[in-house]
Amino acid sequence: MSAAILRHPAYLEWPADPRDRLPLTLWDAQSIAEAVGGEASCDFQVAGVEMDSRDVVNGDLFIALKGEAMDGHRFLDKAFENGAAAAIVDRPVDYPHILVADTTEALKALAKAARSRTEARIIGVTGSVGKTGVKEAIFASLERASRGAAHRSTRSYNNHVGVPLSLARMPARSRFGIFEMGMNNAGEIEGLTTQVRPHVAVITTIAPAHIENLGSMEAIADAKAEIFSGLGPGGIAVIPADSEYFDRLKDAADKLGAKIVSFGRAPHSDVRLLDAIPSANGGSLVTCEFGVPGVDGGRLCYTVAEPGDHWVINSLAVMAAVRAAGGDMAAAGLALAEMGGLKGRGARHGIDAPGGKALLIDESYNANPASMRATLAQLGQTPSSRRIAVLGSMKELGDFADKFHGQLSQPLINADVDYALLVGDEMRALARELGKPAFNSLGKPLEWEHCSNAEEAIARLEEFGLIAGDAVLVKGSNSVGLGKLVEHFT
């Protein structure tokens, strides 16, 4: 390029961006070695980070993690066959590598280095229900607004391994980072949020998930509120205004000096729902109010592609988070209008049936009492000739299991379900409720069956027979294995 062109006013006035000084590649050998305190065997560059050899693609860094039952070093050959550029190992190997004493500690160190070098606005997301969907929606919103400069944890990588892996994958030039955090026990989110160090911490809702380990709803709220402990000065806590635990969450955030931004229907909501009506695509047309009108707020009308009232509220959490992170709420509205259901979390499939097509709603990845009620309500609003519910056991409810499973009888009635297939031992409590004479005397009789596993459920549903116009909801905890039923019928 000539000197004359470089002196052109358009180049001289080009705005400086500190991110331009950051590397384009994800990691090179020297930066990894410095981050993890290891020794590089040679020079190399990597474009991704992976811990499962089956998921490795060209240019990845493979981290050979060691667990109680598995040693990643056994899969080095497979990782390099799939295109790995280098590996982090605890013993010398014949591939490009970084040698460390402990590969698990190296992953944490690489995550810490990735977090330290970035200037991105970081958002952490947790909650009993909806955290993966909300995380994906926030990412879609900020990726659109930043023209591809947003990063997020993929799948449900939300635990002590998934969170540092997701951090290690974050490009230095990212403008936004969105990370999901999950837990089974108290103290786990605190350990994750101190790694993520979010600027914005979102709690979607509080519901009886993992109550077996935590013992009470108050303990669940407190465990979720641990996410606020990672907030630094000026941090923002986004919390559900309609939750009966709102004050508890607010107090937890106040004690840490966080700014509170609430969302929901409640009059005190900072992002407040004004109206939601069904839209032509099966979702909702939502109008919300935010901030102080005429000062720093206003109203926004947008479409949510995902059906159900729970997604109306989820969209408010997304808007609150995007606004708190300095993103574009209008871009968020466009992203919400285009989002489809995630595999196992609301994906909709048209499946062949006699006479045409039937609809299968795939919610097979997770289930708890709140999400069961929400998705059954959604099924009840779905136009169909018959409504069929395949419900798997809800896990980690402990002594509350019979109570919460039995309480699904009323949502089934309200959803006008024609046939219910109950899968798993815990679903016997619901079967007992459905078998009571008082239940059978109420309105249209509900046909139902109980079976022990997914394979039996497939056979029962085949025997029942799907026809054109049917709507089939498949919902259960992942360990029940109803994903096999979804794969069979799709």
Side-chain angles (χ1 to χ4, degrees), residues 372-446:
M372 276 286 197
R373 289 174 176 271
T375 49
L376 282 169
Q378 175 189 324
L379 177 64
Q381 297 169 4
T382 302
S384 58
S385 56
R386 298 184 303 180
R387 296 189 178 100
I388 299 164
V390 182
L391 305 181
S393 295
M394 301 178 288
K395 300 296 185 178
E396 298 185 12
L397 296 178
D399 294 339
F400 299 88
D402 280 359
K403 172 186 173 183
F404 285 125
H405 283 86
Q407 287 177 348
L408 294 177
S409 58
Q410 192 60 49
L412 276 168
I413 297 171
N414 296 343
D416 197 22
V417 170
D418 296 276
Y419 175 62
L421 191 52
L422 316 179
V423 188
D425 288 341
E426 292 88 344
M427 276 291 168
R428 294 185 189 279
L430 177 55
R432 286 194 294 270
E433 286 297 314
L434 298 181
K436 291 179 178 179
F439 179 87
N440 290 323
S441 66
L442 295 174
K444 184 179 71 173
L446 168 63

Side-chain angles (χ1 to χ4, degrees), residues 139 256 273:
F139 167 73
L256 294 167
L273 179 67

Side-chain angles (χ1 to χ4, degrees), residues 4-15:
I5 292 177
L6 291 174
R7 290 194 298 270
H8 191 281
Y11 281 93
L12 296 175
E13 295 171 9
W14 192 271

Side-chain angles (χ1 to χ4, degrees), residues 126 189 203 220-229 248-249 252 256:
T126 192
I189 287 181
I203 295 180
I220 292 172
D222 293 342
K224 296 299 183 183
E226 292 172 12
I227 193 173
F228 304 144
S229 64
R248 196 177 191 94
L249 298 175
L256 294 167

Side-chain angles (χ1 to χ4, degrees), residues 180-195:
E180 178 182 339
M181 287 171 255
M183 60 88 186
N184 294 310
N185 296 283
E188 292 178 351
I189 287 181
E190 184 174 8
L192 300 176
T193 192
T194 53
Q195 296 179 60

Side-chain angles (χ1 to χ4, degrees), residues 13 30 90 101 182 244 294 302 308 339 431 472 489:
E13 295 171 9
Q30 180 180 350
D90 65 8
E244 61 181 299
Y302 56 92
M339 276 195 69
V472 184
F489 284 96

